[in-house]
Amino acid sequence: MTYNTRLFPLMLCTTLPLSAVAAEGGFFEDSSATLQARNYYFSRDYSDIVGPSKQSKAEEWGQGFILNFKSGYTPGTIGLGVDAIGMLGLKLDSSPDRVNTGLLPVQDDGRAADDYSRVGAAVKARLSKTELKVGELQPNLPVLSFSDIRLLPPTYQGASVISNEIAGLTLQAGHLVSTSLRNEAGDDKMQAIVGYQPQRQGTSDAFNYAGADYAFNANRTTVGAWYAQLEDIYNQRLISLKHSEAVGDWVLGANLGFYDSAEDGKQLIGELDNQAFYSLFSAKRGGHTFFVGYQGMFGGQGFPRVFANVTPLGNEVPTYEFASADERSWQVRHDYDFAAFGLPGLTTTLRYITGDNVDTGKGFEGQDWERDLDIGYVFQSGALKGLGVRVRNVTARSNYRTDINENRLILNYTLALF
């Protein structure tokens, strides 16, 4: 069991004084704690890899537990509090020829660890409608999405501030110094992915960001402007627009964004030049939601992001990213909520994405496509009430990267402790 021990002195120094005044305010009264149990089976068949020296399949099964505690705030002009998280992952099935699913850490002997865990906390302070957090963080930002797509979620260590002093305007900024990946117990420096390829030759111990989102038009329209820097690797700017509009029985939506990225500082992974435009339009009526999206990569390289995160790009999915150099991609998607059919809790997503015009650097045009089917159900009553079951099936094909057949089975249950 590995702990985020650097945070313990900070936790002790702050929580002990807090306990003396907690009874006077909402420190305990407004606190909450949940325990999430997550059972995760993951199978990814790399169907075009053959030969005894290459791994042709990644397949593992694990059980995860995620304990979240969020306190209220002490009374006074500046309220103080603590958020804490504890995570435990257990191996249920794995073997050396099926590792690297992202569910479990891989040891030096090539085998998955039997278990891994981590504990962390963040001290928080609130003044008016502005909140500062220092410690273990799980940011969800347009420039650093919260990628909870495996057994345990990733975390970051650093400081963040969120301000909502002006109606409709949300300001955010932060400085992160390390990360705990989704299948790791300890802290480590941050790396980048460019397109679909991890850039392991360079690491950074600072991710800085600042951004603003302004919602207006009865919150139907939101515009955003963001800046991010993975120090000495890349810097990035984003402008975005989201809008929804009711038209008769339909609700129409648009999600547009433009990223501009370049190399930063010491250029540890070399030069970077990427401009990424994404658009995703939706039309909802009853239980049906239809989507169509277009995404384009421009410049000399693919889209950069922090390893191993997904991004808000309209055509990115957890298998293929459609973010390679010069790639153009289209998406069609249909979601259905069976509550409209009298079956609450049952939802489906069917999606098809195709991309081309990829600069492979090998003298030919890269092309890829992916088909996803997701089926989810949350039990509404009985002994299993609240248990969520999700099945995911993927077929992905490419002429310049590995073909994939993928299946996932995820069971989630969250218990509110208080």
Side-chain angles (χ1 to χ4, degrees), residues 63-84:
Q63 175 66 50
F65 297 95
I66 306 165
L67 176 64
N68 271 295
F69 168 78
K70 297 183 181 298
S71 79
Y73 289 90
T74 59
T77 303
I78 299 178
L80 301 176
V82 174
D83 292 346

Side-chain angles (χ1 to χ4, degrees), residues 83 118-119 147 154 285 294 392 418:
D83 292 346
R118 58 182 183 265
V119 176
S147 303
R285 182 180 181 183
Y294 169 77
R392 176 177 172 86
F418 56 85

Side-chain angles (χ1 to χ4, degrees), residues 24-283:
E24 301 176 15
F27 184 89
F28 289 126
E29 290 86 341
D30 297 332
S31 65
S32 63
T34 60
L35 177 62
Q36 180 183 2
R38 177 180 297 174
N39 189 278
Y40 207 125
Y41 168 78
F42 183 102
S43 174
R44 181 172 284 180
D45 178 10
Y46 304 102
S47 57
D48 62 347
I49 293 181
V50 295
S53 63
K54 295 182 178 181
Q55 183 177 334
S56 61
K57 190 174 186 178
E59 182 181 30
E60 292 180 313
W61 181 27
Q63 175 66 50
F65 297 95
I66 306 165
L67 176 64
N68 271 295
F69 168 78
K70 297 183 181 298
S71 79
Y73 289 90
T74 59
T77 303
I78 299 178
L80 301 176
V82 174
D83 292 346
I85 185 170
M87 291 179 277
L88 171 65
L90 303 174
K91 179 178 70 176
L92 299 181
D93 180 65
S94 179
S95 73
D97 60 339
R98 294 186 281 111
V99 295
N100 293 312
T101 64
L103 296 186
L104 303 166
V106 181
Q107 303 174 132
D108 292 339
D109 61 1
R111 297 180 179 274
D114 292 334
D115 60 81
Y116 66 110
S117 60
R118 58 182 183 265
V119 176
V123 177
K124 57 186 180 181
R126 184 179 66 186
L127 173 63
S128 184
K129 296 181 180 179
T130 298
E131 182 183 62
L132 169 70
K133 288 187 177 182
V134 179
E136 196 86 357
L137 306 175
Q138 293 183 309
N140 188 18
L141 312 165
V143 290
L144 189 70
S145 294
F146 181 53
S147 303
D148 189 11
I149 56 176
R150 289 296 195 273
L151 187 65
L152 300 179
T155 61
Y156 295 86
Q157 295 75 45
S160 70
V161 61
I162 302 176
S163 178
N164 294 284
E165 300 294 340
I166 300 174
L169 179 63
T170 300
L171 302 175
Q172 299 191 57
H175 172 70
L176 308 177
V177 297
S178 59
T179 182
S180 297
L181 296 177
R182 60 200 181 195
N183 62 336
E184 290 184 353
D187 303 343
D188 206 347
K189 293 185 176 182
M190 290 167 282
Q191 297 177 322
I193 301 176
V194 177
Y196 68 96
Q197 295 178 326
Q199 305 294 306
R200 303 192 185 280
Q201 70 271 33
T203 61
S204 175
D205 55 8
F207 181 83
N208 304 300
Y209 66 88
D213 290 304
Y214 181 62
F216 58 98
N217 191 19
N219 289 327
R220 294 195 305 270
T221 306
T222 302
V223 294
W226 287 80
Y227 174 81
Q229 176 201 35
L230 184 58
E231 194 172 278
D232 290 326
I233 294 181
Y234 74 81
N235 56 68
Q236 192 171 74
R237 290 143 294 281
L238 164 68
I239 54 173
S240 63
L241 168 67
K242 295 180 181 179
H243 179 71
S244 64
E245 190 73 34
V247 181
D249 294 334
W250 294 83
V251 177
L252 306 181
N255 183 3
L256 309 174
F258 179 79
Y259 288 90
D260 178 44
S261 306
E263 68 277 359
D264 184 78
K266 297 178 182 178
Q267 305 180 23
L268 296 180
I269 65 172
E271 294 184 357
L272 277 173
D273 175 28
N274 175 268
Q275 295 78 46
F277 170 76
Y278 69 88
S279 60
L280 190 62
F281 301 94
S282 62

